[in-house]
Amino acid sequence: MAFARLSLIVSVALAVSQVVNAGLVKRVTCSTGHVTANAACCALFPIVDTLQSGLFDGAQCGEEAHSALRIAFHDAIGFSLKGEGGGADGSILAFNLTETAFRAVDDIVASQFPFFVQSGLSAGDFVHLAAAVGTANCPGAPRLKFFLGRPAPKAPAPDKTVPEPTDSVTSILARFADAGFSPREVVGLLASHTIAAADVIDASIPGTPFDSTPHHFDGNFFLEVLLKGRLFPGAGPQTGEVLSPIAGEMRLQSDFAISQDSRTACFWQDMINDQSRLMTEFSNAMAKLQVLGQNTKTLIDCSDVVPVPATMDGTVRIPASFTSKDIQVACPAQAFPKLATRTGPAPTVPPV
């Protein structure tokens, strides 16, 4: 009798659980055959396909994918907790004649604008959908969130809201704090540099990557910034540029300064050989960045339209020809991760 009563209780509990879970995982099948959590997201799947085949050259982690992430940052960081700027509103596209006059993103805007017009999305939704989709093309990247429903931007973002590579760490952290970001979140956002390259910092060497694996989202960037610099023939520091220890690679003055500063050095070191942490820190910081200035209560979670990135173990090794003695450790509070060294000749990184 007791066993029968227990079985009845378990059966009722399972039934209730199934009903509750069914409500939580409600799915909609779109006319395209895609499945999503909200019918409003169905219209995004053809746009994602167009971005992948057109803007991103067949879903490549190439220059346009890198650029999409960069322009999303430039767009969103034009925001202050004091009430200035629209944040992640797409003003960089909608008011491109104004904003590209003081930001080196005019080529990116020119590439994206035809796709933006074709999409029918608001400027903010387009910019941040493109960033999420482009980043998903890079192995090792987290699957970024995407929320639909940003209204049209009202005005250009204020000038001088994007930190410069020549700025001091104090100035950079203050600018980010004004937008609501902690030093830890700043380092998390800088993980974007693992798939980034510079075109205008030194115009004589466009497409210069910031690490040796610019087509993979991994911790090599955080290690290679710490390596002691070496002078290569023809190299020379420009505005915001520090001589990289690896041929063909650029290291930003601001990145190196942040890697050495007591307020950020340990966060920086944490990112070197922990792929899971790298992905989580970047994903969390980006989720915050991509809705700056927006009323999240009116946005629809369409994150399931974003492609799932390819996975990788993200193991970081010291580049060939370098040793642990070349690493400029700046976090005395914890042990530096033990890293193996790659074999072979000294690396040379080609432009992207």
Side-chain angles (χ1 to χ4, degrees):
M1 193 71 177
F3 178 76
R5 190 180 301 114
L6 177 60
S7 297
L8 178 61
I9 292 171
V10 171
S11 298
V12 171
L14 286 173
V16 171
S17 176
Q18 289 170 354
V19 171
V20 171
N21 288 334
L24 292 175
V25 296
K26 182 180 179 182
R27 312 300 290 172
V28 175
T29 300
C30 307
S31 61
T32 58
H34 296 94
V35 178
T36 179
N38 193 304
C41 305
C42 286
L44 297 176
F45 287 106
I47 297 172
V48 170
D49 290 343
T50 299
L51 288 173
Q52 292 286 54
S53 62
L55 184 64
F56 300 131
D57 301 318
Q60 297 296 308
C61 181
E63 182 178 2
E64 293 300 338
H66 305 167
S67 296
L69 185 55
R70 181 183 178 195
I71 198 174
F73 167 75
H74 279 250
D75 176 63
I77 201 62
F79 171 81
S80 169
L81 293 174
K82 300 180 180 116
E84 299 174 356
D89 62 356
S91 62
I92 201 162
L93 273 185
F95 299 99
N96 59 80
L97 294 180
T98 298
E99 292 202 27
T100 57
F102 52 79
R103 291 176 180 160
V105 292
D106 49 340
D107 287 343
I108 305 173
V109 168
S111 296
Q112 289 197 356
F113 202 81
F115 293 94
F116 157 56
V117 173
Q118 179 183 348
S119 73
L121 296 175
S122 71
D125 282 348
F126 180 85
V127 166
H128 296 285
L129 176 63
V133 173
T135 301
N137 294 333
C138 302
R143 189 187 194 191
L144 297 180
K145 295 182 180 298
F146 173 72
F147 292 87
L148 177 70
R150 295 169 182 79
K154 297 178 179 178
D159 195 4
K160 298 181 180 178
T161 53
V162 180
E164 298 290 342
T166 52
D167 291 346
S168 68
V169 176
T170 295
S171 174
I172 292 171
L173 294 182
R175 171 75 275 274
F176 275 101
D178 182 44
F181 290 89
S182 68
R184 174 176 174 170
E185 290 170 325
V186 172
V187 175
L189 286 173
L190 285 173
S192 62
H193 284 185
T194 187
I195 53 170
D199 285 323
V200 297
I201 291 177
D202 186 342
S204 67
I205 46 173
T208 305
F210 293 150
D211 80 352
S212 59
T213 54
H215 303 296
H216 294 83
F217 193 95
D218 56 32
N220 282 313
F221 162 73
F222 288 96
L223 171 64
E224 291 168 14
V225 165
L226 297 179
L227 296 176
K228 293 179 181 177
R230 300 178 182 181
L231 183 63
F232 291 97
Q238 305 294 325
T239 301
E241 176 191 354
V242 174
L243 293 177
S244 174
I246 296 177
E249 182 179 302
M250 181 182 293
R251 182 169 63 191
L252 296 183
Q253 178 179 315
S254 54
D255 285 344
F256 180 69
I258 289 171
S259 80
Q260 301 295 297
D261 192 276
S262 61
R263 293 165 288 186
T264 46
C266 291
F267 298 135
W268 190 280
Q269 182 173 299
D270 286 339
M271 305 282 264
I272 289 174
N273 200 33
D274 187 338
Q275 184 70 14
S276 177
R277 180 162 191 163
L278 177 70
M279 294 168 66
T280 299
E281 296 287 349
F282 178 66
S283 179
N284 289 345
M286 280 298 297
K288 187 173 180 176
L289 180 81
Q290 291 187 294
V291 293
L292 279 183
Q294 303 303 304
N295 180 2
T296 56
K297 294 180 181 179
T298 65
L299 300 181
I300 300 169
D301 189 347
C302 290
S303 300
D304 54 13
V305 308
V306 178
V308 179
T311 59
M312 56 180 292
D313 67 11
T315 299
V316 172
R317 296 179 177 85
I318 299 171
S321 81
F322 294 87
T323 71
S324 58
K325 294 181 180 179
D326 293 309
I327 300 172
Q328 300 171 93
V329 178
C331 174
Q334 56 201 51
F336 195 83
K338 293 182 179 180
L339 304 174
T341 302
R342 296 186 184 277
T343 58
T348 298
V349 185
V352 298

